[in-house]
């Protein structure tokens, strides 16, 4: 079984709320430590075998594969997670603006509020990325019903005389 499949079975198995809290309570601080290191050492190219990197970040290979799953869409070249083995060579070339955006999308406030971001993105740029993210979340309905159009409920009345007043 691939490392990625093992991770998915560990992370997304059905659990009680207590077991869920315990699993993620152990994983999330490790993830935060990884991001703190990556942000503090933004100039460092992080590369090596999956086993070497998992040891460097104090995780087992399956858990580190879960971390790679989380950061994958923020890399300049995404990894093929399904084909990863312990010997796979990994190079983490991170697009930090994309990473910040993805942390916003994941609602990971413990990550996008890390003080290490101050040395990577200016406060102004982080606000711009936040605006871009918020703009992407707005739903625009182009199928607005006019007051004088027939009501979509099929009554035959004008919308303003039918469902608009309910």
């Amino acid at each position: 079984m691939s490392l990625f499949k093992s991770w998915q079975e560990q992370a997304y198995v059905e659990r009680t709320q207590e077991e869920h809290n315990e699993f993620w309570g152990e994983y999330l601080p490790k993830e935060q430590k990884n991001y703190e290191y990556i942000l503090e050492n933004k100039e460092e190219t992080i590369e090596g075998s999956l086993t070497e990197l998992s040891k460097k970040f104090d995780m087992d290979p399956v858990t580190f594969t879960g971390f790679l799953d989380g950061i994958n869409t923020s890399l300049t070249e995404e990894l093929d997670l399904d084909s990863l083995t312990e010997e796979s060579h990994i190079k983490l070339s991170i697009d930090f603006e994309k990473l910040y955006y993805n942390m916003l999308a994941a609602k990971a406030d413990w990550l996008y509020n890390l003080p290490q971001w101050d040395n990577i993105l200016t406060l102004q740029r982080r606000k711009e990325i936040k605006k871009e993210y918020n703009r992407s979340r707005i739903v625009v309905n182009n199928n607005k019903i006019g007051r004088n159009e027939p009501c979509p409920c099929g009554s035959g009345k004008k919308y303003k005389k039918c469902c608009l007043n309910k």
Side-chain angles (χ1 to χ4, degrees), residues 12-157:
Y12 305 114
V13 69
E14 204 165 309
R15 311 181 153 94
T16 65
Q17 188 63 43
E18 186 177 302
E19 291 169 332
H20 173 86
N21 293 344
E22 182 181 339
F23 177 82
W24 291 106
E26 287 179 25
Y27 172 77
L28 293 175
K30 292 177 184 177
E31 178 187 54
Q32 182 174 338
K33 250 179 73 179
N34 291 359
Y35 280 115
E36 287 170 351
Y37 178 85
I38 289 169
L39 296 175
E40 285 170 1
N41 301 285
K42 67 179 184 202
E43 301 300 324
E44 179 185 335
T45 300
I46 298 169
E47 72 179 304
S49 74
L50 192 138
T51 302
E52 292 168 349
L53 293 178
S54 66
K55 286 178 184 170
K56 177 179 182 163
F57 288 101
D58 195 27
M59 296 176 135
D60 64 86
V62 173
T63 306
F64 188 70
T65 303
F67 172 75
L68 293 175
D69 181 27
I71 199 171
N72 199 27
T73 57
S74 302
L75 301 176
T76 55
E77 290 182 39
E78 288 191 27
L79 303 167
D80 179 9
L81 297 173
D82 287 318
S83 67
L84 290 178
T85 65
E86 292 187 20
E87 294 80 33
S88 296
H89 184 78
I90 309 252
K91 182 176 181 180
L92 300 181
S93 179
I94 301 164
D95 178 340
F96 288 101
E97 289 189 2
K98 205 175 194 184
L99 178 63
Y100 189 79
Y101 183 94
N102 290 337
M103 286 177 174
L104 290 169
K107 297 176 179 44
D109 59 325
W110 66 95
L111 297 176
Y112 65 76
N113 286 325
L114 288 171
Q116 288 85 349
W117 280 110
D118 295 340
N119 299 324
I120 296 172
L121 299 173
T122 65
L123 185 58
Q124 180 63 32
R125 183 61 189 135
R126 284 182 277 168
K127 285 181 180 178
E128 290 169 7
I129 294 170
K130 177 92 166 116
K131 278 185 183 177
E132 289 172 28
Y133 168 72
N134 289 340
R135 226 177 284 125
S136 75
R137 308 289 301 153
I138 296 172
V139 177
V140 178
N141 186 356
N142 293 329
N143 300 328
K144 189 172 179 180
I145 303 163
R147 293 171 29 91
N148 291 316
E149 292 180 27
C151 191
C153 75
S155 67
K157 298 178 183 179

